[in-house]
Amino acid sequence: MSIENIDIKEATIIDVRTPGEFMMGNVEGSINIPLDEVPSRVEEFKTIQGDIVLCCASGGRSGQATMFLEQNGLSNVCNGGGWQTVNAYMK
């Protein structure tokens, strides 16, 4: 799934950066779930209705999270790349 193909304003935005990075700037309304917590929170991700857009600083960690979640049965996930890129889509 690609960020261009979803309604970003209806999606759940998950930022997988550390809490400290998240506090320095983030997409308004996004949820901070650090990458190292993703494996233990797969069931929580499965309860999210609609599309999930993952972001981080540049797209590397969100890419890892996207791949992990897809391998664990989620098809509604998208690597949005860097949080500033995702933020630009919100406008």
Side-chain angles (χ1 to χ4, degrees), residues 2-67:
S2 169
I3 194 168
E4 293 87 13
N5 300 330
I6 64 170
D7 183 351
I8 191 83
K9 293 185 179 180
E10 296 298 319
T12 299
I13 312 296
I14 307 288
D15 190 319
V16 297
R17 295 177 297 153
T18 66
E21 289 175 290
F22 185 77
M23 294 301 291
M24 300 290 282
N26 57 70
V27 177
E28 186 177 339
S30 62
I31 301 166
N32 183 219
I33 300 178
L35 179 61
D36 62 351
E37 292 182 20
V38 171
S40 65
R41 296 176 72 172
V42 171
E43 294 306 314
E44 184 179 337
F45 279 92
K46 289 181 178 179
T47 67
I48 296 172
Q49 299 295 311
D51 295 322
I52 301 170
V53 176
L54 295 130
C55 63
C56 60
S58 65
R61 287 175 282 180
S62 55
Q64 291 176 37
T66 299
M67 209 161 62

